[in-house]
Amino acid sequence: MSILLLPLPVNLRQPAIGTLTLFDCRGREIAEIASSEARAQLPRKLDEMGNWLPRVTVALEDHRFYEHGAMDWHTSVGAIARNLKSQRIISGGSTITQQFVKIATGRQRRSWFGKIYETVLAWKIERRWSKEQILAEYLNCSSYGNRRLGPEAAARAYFGKSVRDLTLAEAIYLAGLPQAPSRFNPWRHPELAAAKYERSLARLTQLRVITCDDQLLLQKSPPVAHRFDPPRLASHFVDAVTAQHSGLRGPVKTTLSVDLQIKAEQLLRSHLAAMNRHDIVQAAMLILDNDTGAIRAMVGSDNYTTSQINGAMRPHSCGSTLKPFVYLSAIDRHLLTAASLLPDTADSIRDEYADYDPQNFNHRYLGPVRLREALGCSLNVPAVFALSQLGARPTFYGLQKWGFEFRRGLSDYGAGFVLGNAEIRLVDLAGAYAGLARHGMAMRAKFLAAEHHPLTPIASREATAIITDILCDNSAREKSFGANSPLAFDERIAAKTGTSSGFRDAWTVGFDKEHTVAVWIGNFDGRPMRDTFAVRSASPLWAAMMHELLQRDHPLDPPQENERLVRREICAETGLLPSRFTGSTINELFLKGTEPTKDSANWFSSDGKLLLPSEYAGWCASANNTRGAHVQPDSRITNPIANARYEIDPVLPRSQQMIELTATLGDGVQWFVNGARIVPQRDGRFFWQVVPGQWNIRAVGPSGSAEETIFIE
């Protein structure tokens, strides 16, 4: 009696899940992933198996299936008699339910106890399940040879179609295979499979499932099984999915778009072929949906069959691709603005990083440069200067909030991480830039439609709008990239390049309103690319894909002023408000409260030449100074001379004995003698009529003040 109390095994209580089958975002099959159990198992409901295969299978395997319970006593009695006569089990006489139990429990050897055990389980199943459910489960776990379980997998492998679309002949052919899947293997023993088909026709005619005329007709045009391998698209993407989600089974909808994937692969291969460079052999591309973070295309190499390395998931030195996030943080924290003058000189960061000497890619220095141009031209020294204002440690950990997974710690990289010695993955880079497209909301890239990653606010919408505007500004990068680089679009498209040291990695990443595209070019073995900058290698491929997307996508909207984002006209040379010396102006964006309040008058000499603080002395004296700039004199009184002693001339009238007051404080200076303010002349000059005594002379200007003492006798 104890055997009657046995519970159903777990694999009998749960329906077959089947082989992992990946589909793209629109339901197009990408790949079937074989498991240890089967090369392919694609469970289907009974009403999805067409009109013929279930009916033919029942007729051939258990024609009284719908009439008996767990056992067919008529068939079993005959089988028992044959087994007793031979004193061993030579005939099963099993019903479909018993066969299903045998397959599901994995019994291989025949035994009396095994037969009894299967019968008990079959009896339990018959009491709980409908005949339709039993038949469907049996069909879905039956082997049809070549590790194909279930009729759907078999129909696809042998006839290249779904089981629901099988003809009567094809259904009869498949229905006979489970009796001996290895012996009737259509690929290895097609003649035995064909002979089995003939016997199946005869049996079906005997059972009056088909007529004699049907039999003759089906014999004249027997089906021929071919080999149809399942699709294998976006192989690098498929590998990435299975590596990250090892437990997946059954049909799974991914985020991939097959159409975009195919186009990305075509463009990548064409670009590498057009470059025709022996020192550049690999590339990778990733396309993300900005709103959802969904990966729409992932190309890991030029050819998966020759290189299974996935360049989109492999870390490479990041070049200048992290700079926008550094400047974004500085702007959001009100430490800098897009108009802030940053030093691009050879000695501007030596006090902060004594052992670090970054240089620009063209080995030239622009001197004082607005942040907009520093980012647009991807200048190195200003980026490190901005990092010094933020602090390297908080900036490094702030980048991780955007989704960057660095292989090593800050102590290994030092300040150089901002210029490219840190390794990042293309998938993380695309995800971070998609966060810029989402106005400062970070989210991990996702591979599966069912994934849900949280949105994390990292930067303000307004600060992100300023950085995005800079990345769209072709004039801001013109000094480094020219007016007609691949980054120049008629539409507003954000873009950033990056080239690692030694020319080992070239990057371009950017976005429109709907998608972010990221491209890496280089060599998997780390060989350099012989002085090839990203704008010449990665950018053309990036631009080709972006132009393709813009056939359906939309350009970015220009930033709109609001209570937190304002636009001001500024002096193009100084980033301050215009003055009478200003030669050209631009309109710049500012977070409310960070816009300039002083004009640029003190940054120019009376003849209009640019005057720079003393920290620019080395640059002013160098060949890089093509702007004719001079070092601004120290804040001092130039007349009278400190501690000077004057004597009053007794002959000249007192009204004619005056001292002109001058200082190196630019325009707008106010003068005080022993605290009394001196009124300027009509021409703006200052004169003081001498009076005997000791006098304190003080000058106060917008850029500072100076004072000294003189004596008059």
Side-chain angles (χ1 to χ4, degrees), residues 45 52 57 84 115 176 405 421 429 449 457 532 534 574 599 679:
K45 296 178 181 178
W52 290 112
T57 300
L84 289 173
K115 191 72 174 174
E405 298 179 359
N421 68 4
L429 181 68
T532 300
T574 66
D599 67 30
V679 179

Side-chain angles (χ1 to χ4, degrees), residues 318-326 399 404 406 417-418 422 424 433:
C318 63
S320 298
T321 57
L322 303 181
K323 290 176 181 175
F325 302 96
V326 175
L399 287 168
F404 293 107
F406 300 112
F417 75 84
V418 73
I424 62 173
Y433 274 76

Side-chain angles (χ1 to χ4, degrees), residues 242-270:
T242 55
Q244 295 188 56
H245 304 277
S246 57
L248 285 179
R249 292 292 184 271
V252 174
K253 187 176 183 180
T254 72
T255 59
L256 198 82
S257 166
V258 166
D259 293 333
L260 275 183
Q261 176 72 23
I262 292 173
K263 177 55 67 174
E265 291 176 359
Q266 291 173 345
L267 290 176
L268 186 145
R269 293 192 189 104
S270 297

Side-chain angles (χ1 to χ4, degrees), residues 209-220:
V209 175
I210 60 175
T211 65
C212 293
D213 292 339
D214 292 333
Q215 181 182 6
L216 292 174
L217 186 62
L218 292 169
Q219 285 175 330
K220 289 181 180 179

Side-chain angles (χ1 to χ4, degrees), residues 597-636:
T597 57
K598 296 179 180 180
D599 67 30
S600 62
N602 289 325
W603 285 72
F604 294 94
S605 63
S606 58
D607 58 356
K609 291 185 178 179
L610 185 64
L611 297 177
L612 300 176
S614 58
E615 54 262 33
Y616 287 96
W619 179 82
C620 285
S622 73
N624 289 312
N625 181 11
T626 59
R627 298 154 71 175
H630 296 280
V631 176
Q632 195 174 59
D634 295 335
S635 298
R636 58 187 176 87

Side-chain angles (χ1 to χ4, degrees), residues 84 121 137 345 373 513 546 611 621 677 682 685:
L84 289 173
L121 292 182
E137 291 297 324
T345 66
E373 287 189 305
K513 188 177 289 187
M546 192 58 73
L611 297 177
R677 184 175 177 181
R682 290 184 179 180
R685 298 164 71 187

